[in-house]
Amino acid sequence: LLRMADPGGASSGRPHSDDDYDDDVLPSAPDAATSPPLSTNLYGTFAWSVGLPSVPADKDSLADISKIRQFSSVFDVGGYEWKLEMYPYGDSQSDKTLSVFLCAVDSRQLPGWSQTAHYQIAVVNKDPAKTSTHTGYDIFRGKRDSAWGWSKLISLGKLHDVSQGWVDEDGKITLQATVHVVTHEYMPVNLTYRKSLCGLYYERVLQSYFEPFLKDELQRLDKLCCNSVLHKGFSDFWTALQDNKKRTLLKITVHEVLLNVKARLFSRDQPATYLAADVIFKAAQDCTSFVAAGDGPDRSLVGCTSLAIMDGDEGT
């Protein structure tokens, strides 16, 4: 079943096979705008300029209008092949909206393959500020979960209105796909992709995630400081400890930190959390590099009472 999401929200996966509805696939001739970039970079973009077909006049065609679809040419990102799939009249789950999905082409993959990826699908407007961008994070695998995207990407009424700036002089729209292949858990994203996430979700991340988190932690600290008995008890305990004991108590593995961060911040259904978690992932990577460059095995981040990062089982 298709899992729907609001426009701009998380993606909706749709099981499908490229063998379905072959007679209804509309051919689209490749042009300069659709030529695939051959690259092994983990991050890449692809633009598809495609014409919107007119609505069929006969009733028999209208009955199966949700089966009509078009495919872009294949492009390569991260060593994987991808393509866009568009339902110009909307798929079976939409109502007068454009449906677009990112498909993983599994022709080069072994049975049981899977690949996780961040991705964005944008309908480009002549006015860049009006470009409609949707963001997703999913696992592509096999044939049943090889396509993720949105059934309700944009209203067809809005899209076909030439005054709104979606259709160019040749009667075509431009769809842009951005793919960022994820090779391991807690992997920070490419700087360019992070800037894109910041442009979309920065304010929301600050207001909905980081500010409430800091407020909650400060309140907990205030309660500790205001409780004179508890505060003095902890202060006496901590002051009496040797520096090496303090370091031992404060050591924590990167995996433990990031596992907790992901549990608290990351949700596949909330694209803003992709940025919130990524900020921490990148900070952890930088901290690990900083500590690893230290002069001795006991170097911590900020003096003897700060966190010491451990890579695997070896404390640094």
Side-chain angles (χ1 to χ4, degrees):
L1 293 176
L2 186 70
R3 285 177 288 166
M4 296 305 305
D6 293 333
S11 59
S12 54
R14 182 181 50 77
H16 85 293
S17 167
D18 286 349
D19 297 330
D20 297 339
Y21 313 137
D22 280 348
D23 294 338
D24 300 307
V25 175
L26 296 178
S28 54
D31 53 27
T34 62
S35 55
L38 298 176
S39 171
T40 56
N41 291 333
L42 297 180
Y43 170 86
T45 61
F46 172 78
W48 181 25
S49 181
V50 56
L52 292 174
S54 57
V55 178
D58 59 286
K59 293 182 180 179
D60 291 338
S61 295
L62 284 171
D64 292 328
I65 199 170
S66 65
K67 297 181 180 179
I68 298 175
R69 58 182 179 168
Q70 295 171 263
F71 288 102
S72 73
S73 56
V74 174
F75 60 99
D76 186 278
V77 177
Y80 293 85
E81 292 182 333
W82 312 85
K83 64 183 177 182
L84 288 177
E85 177 184 26
M86 180 185 77
Y87 289 75
Y89 312 113
D91 66 4
S92 60
Q93 301 296 319
S94 67
D95 180 20
K96 298 181 180 179
T97 56
L98 185 72
S99 303
V100 182
F101 300 88
L102 174 68
C103 305
V105 181
D106 64 356
S107 59
R108 298 188 302 189
Q109 312 306 326
L110 297 173
W113 70 273
S114 67
Q115 179 56 53
T116 303
H118 289 277
Y119 60 95
Q120 293 177 334
I121 297 177
V123 186
V124 179
N125 193 285
K126 294 178 181 178
D127 180 356
K130 295 181 179 179
T131 292
S132 177
T133 303
H134 290 57
T135 304
Y137 175 94
D138 284 295
I139 301 175
F140 295 79
R141 53 190 163 204
K143 284 187 174 293
R144 292 196 57 80
D145 286 323
S146 61
W148 293 91
W150 292 267
S151 286
K152 300 179 180 181
L153 193 69
I154 188 171
S155 164
L156 291 178
K158 180 191 296 185
L159 192 65
H160 286 273
D161 185 347
V162 293
S163 66
Q164 301 243 4
W166 304 101
V167 181
D168 64 18
E169 293 75 12
D170 298 322
K172 294 182 177 182
I173 63 169
T174 298
L175 298 174
Q176 180 169 299
T178 300
V179 181
H180 194 311
V181 171
V182 177
T183 59
H184 59 276
E185 197 172 16
Y186 315 131
M187 180 185 115
V189 299
N190 171 281
L191 178 59
T192 303
Y193 191 70
R194 185 178 297 116
K195 287 181 178 179
S196 174
L197 292 177
C198 284
L200 293 168
Y201 306 115
Y202 179 76
E203 291 296 333
R204 193 185 309 177
V205 167
L206 283 181
Q207 296 173 6
S208 301
Y209 299 99
F210 289 158
E211 289 179 0
F213 172 79
L214 290 175
K215 183 178 179 181
D216 180 55
E217 294 302 313
L218 286 173
Q219 288 177 344
R220 292 174 60 188
L221 182 60
D222 285 343
K223 289 180 180 179
L224 173 63
C225 294
C226 292
N227 187 325
S228 59
V229 175
L230 185 61
H231 182 267
K232 187 177 186 307
F234 176 78
S235 178
D236 291 344
F237 160 77
W238 191 255
T239 303
L241 291 176
Q242 297 294 323
D243 285 349
N244 61 343
K245 185 62 175 178
K246 293 177 182 177
R247 290 192 178 94
T248 300
L249 291 175
L250 288 172
K251 282 181 179 178
I252 188 171
T253 65
V254 173
H255 179 78
E256 289 174 313
V257 173
L258 298 186
L259 185 65
N260 187 41
V261 166
K262 190 170 184 178
R264 293 189 65 175
L265 285 180
F266 186 85
S267 170
R268 193 189 71 82
D269 297 326
Q270 299 294 330
T273 67
Y274 308 165
L275 175 60
D278 182 70
V279 169
I280 309 300
F281 296 168
K282 182 62 171 65
Q285 183 186 67
D286 291 343
C287 287
T288 303
S289 300
F290 171 81
V291 173
D295 299 327
D298 292 327
R299 183 180 183 184
S300 59
L301 297 183
V302 186
C304 65
T305 59
S306 66
L307 283 179
I309 303 298
M310 296 190 342
D311 186 8
D313 296 326
E314 297 183 5
T316 57

